[in-house]
Amino acid sequence: MKAKAWLFLILANLFWAGNLIFGKAVTSDFPPVWASFLRWGIAALVLIPLAQLAEKPNWVKVWKNNWGVLLFLSVVGVVLYTLLTYTALRYTSSTNGSLINSLTPAVMIILSLLFLKENITGWQGVGLVLSFLGVLTVLTKGHLLGVFNTHYNQGDGIMFAAVFLWAMYSLIGKRAQHLPPITFVAFTAFIGVICMVPLLFLQPLPTEHITSSGITGVIYLGLFPSIGSFLFWNQGVKELGPGKASITMNLMPIFTAILSVILGQQLLISQIVGGVIVIVGMLLSANLMARRGKGRTLWKRTGRTV
């Protein structure tokens, strides 16, 4: 079961890597609000009947018993996170987006340390640092100090905010792990779409700029990152916990590089080396996190209120 959970998390990050690449292209045709609305509208149209067929939930009862967490996760994970991501991609590159997304595990570990009383062992820290160095190797083409020369703009700041929101979504999402997985994502997608309707009037849709590639990109976003990634991610978090799951997010820049090669860009030695480093770091942290009770605690939650 653990191996299956890791596979789910890897697939989730593969689809999210495509989200950064296709999302960058889609925002050329669609304003961020419309890209988000159409993405989750497609997802809701697929997920609601799928949940009814596969899980047969009592929709009214699910909402009545869980409306607070469903509303919170819909606003944070569907509306705000998606809007901020596509807004950021209008100003920054997919590469910068991948670099900033690689900070998600660190943010989740800090939040887990503060609010979930999770302990962090020394070897876990080593694995996280190693994974992050692998990410930097890929994104800086082997010149690690080049990260300090990277040009940051308002899009990078917006992406930082999105990373924090995703960390919040993953941690709070544990409170909904008792819900059937398809029903859960269907509910959050539907609520998110409803919440975004008033925002559509703030960014009119320029229909004259829509292309076939933009439409194809929106369909991809609606099916793979929205349905596939969220189902796989939520199931992986349910099985392994947010701390372990977050480590796999270091794979996203690697998958971004691979997808870029498929689209015609050259594969660099630094990307291969960096990818290997990321995977080794991820496996090191994952293996030791499973046995964290046997290791020496590096950071531990104190009794103080934050």
Side-chain angles (χ1 to χ4, degrees):
M1 195 65 177
K2 298 291 186 182
K4 189 176 182 180
W6 285 113
L7 176 61
F8 284 163
L9 293 171
I10 290 171
L11 288 174
N13 282 281
L14 174 60
F15 296 154
W16 276 324
N19 179 48
L20 291 175
I21 292 177
F22 285 100
K24 176 73 174 177
V26 165
T27 53
S28 298
D29 289 12
F30 298 92
V33 170
W34 279 93
S36 304
F37 175 79
L38 293 173
R39 167 187 171 178
W40 287 107
I42 292 172
L45 288 175
V46 175
L47 286 168
I48 292 174
L50 182 61
Q52 187 61 42
L53 288 173
E55 299 171 345
K56 297 179 174 57
N58 184 327
W59 297 95
V60 175
K61 185 177 180 180
V62 171
W63 170 252
K64 186 175 181 180
N65 295 337
N66 305 276
W67 68 269
V69 68
L70 287 173
L71 183 60
F72 177 85
L73 294 175
S74 298
V75 172
V76 171
V78 173
V79 180
L80 295 179
Y81 174 77
T82 311
L83 283 175
L84 289 178
T85 298
Y86 293 149
T87 300
L89 288 174
R90 300 194 91 181
Y91 301 103
T92 192
S93 65
S94 298
T95 300
N96 276 25
S98 295
L99 172 60
I100 296 169
N101 263 292
S102 70
L103 299 177
T104 304
V107 175
M108 291 183 66
I109 283 178
I110 293 172
L111 294 179
S112 296
L113 177 69
L114 294 176
F115 301 112
L116 299 183
K117 301 179 182 180
E118 291 191 357
N119 300 333
I120 309 298
T121 68
W123 281 110
Q124 287 173 237
V126 171
L128 286 171
V129 171
L130 191 60
S131 293
F132 188 67
L133 287 176
V135 171
L136 293 184
T137 300
V138 172
L139 298 179
T140 63
K141 299 180 180 179
H143 303 286
L144 294 180
L145 294 181
V147 68
F148 298 107
N149 299 322
T150 302
H151 174 68
Y152 293 99
N153 53 40
Q154 60 179 321
D156 300 313
I158 295 172
M159 190 65 81
F160 272 115
V163 165
F164 177 79
L165 289 177
W166 183 252
M168 291 281 294
Y169 172 88
S170 297
L171 295 177
I172 303 299
K174 292 187 68 177
R175 297 186 179 181
Q177 65 182 14
H178 62 285
L179 295 176
I182 304 176
T183 300
F184 169 61
V185 182
F187 240 124
T188 54
F190 177 75
I191 297 170
V193 167
I194 297 300
C195 292
M196 281 187 276
V197 169
L199 302 178
L200 298 178
F201 298 96
L202 300 178
Q203 293 183 336
L205 179 64
T207 55
E208 67 276 7
H209 295 157
I210 298 176
T211 63
S212 58
S213 60
I215 295 174
T216 301
V218 166
I219 294 174
Y220 171 88
L221 298 180
L223 296 179
F224 291 94
S226 304
I227 299 175
S229 288
F230 270 69
L231 289 176
F232 289 152
W233 178 262
N234 290 330
Q235 190 62 29
V237 170
K238 180 179 179 180
E239 294 292 332
L240 301 174
K244 292 181 186 178
S246 68
I247 296 171
T248 63
M249 296 196 76
N250 283 313
L251 291 173
M252 195 186 303
I254 309 305
F255 289 142
T256 302
I258 293 173
L259 292 174
S260 298
V261 170
I262 294 175
L263 294 176
Q265 296 185 19
Q266 182 181 4
L267 179 63
L268 304 176
I269 296 297
S270 60
Q271 293 171 331
I272 299 174
V273 173
V276 172
I277 295 174
V278 168
I279 293 173
V280 170
M282 184 190 72
L283 294 176
L284 178 64
S285 295
N287 182 52
L288 291 166
M289 288 178 87
R291 299 177 292 148
R292 65 186 179 186
K294 300 179 181 179
R296 181 177 63 86
T297 298
L298 180 61
W299 299 292
K300 187 174 183 179
R301 169 75 160 97
T302 66
R304 292 175 294 176
T305 302
V306 178

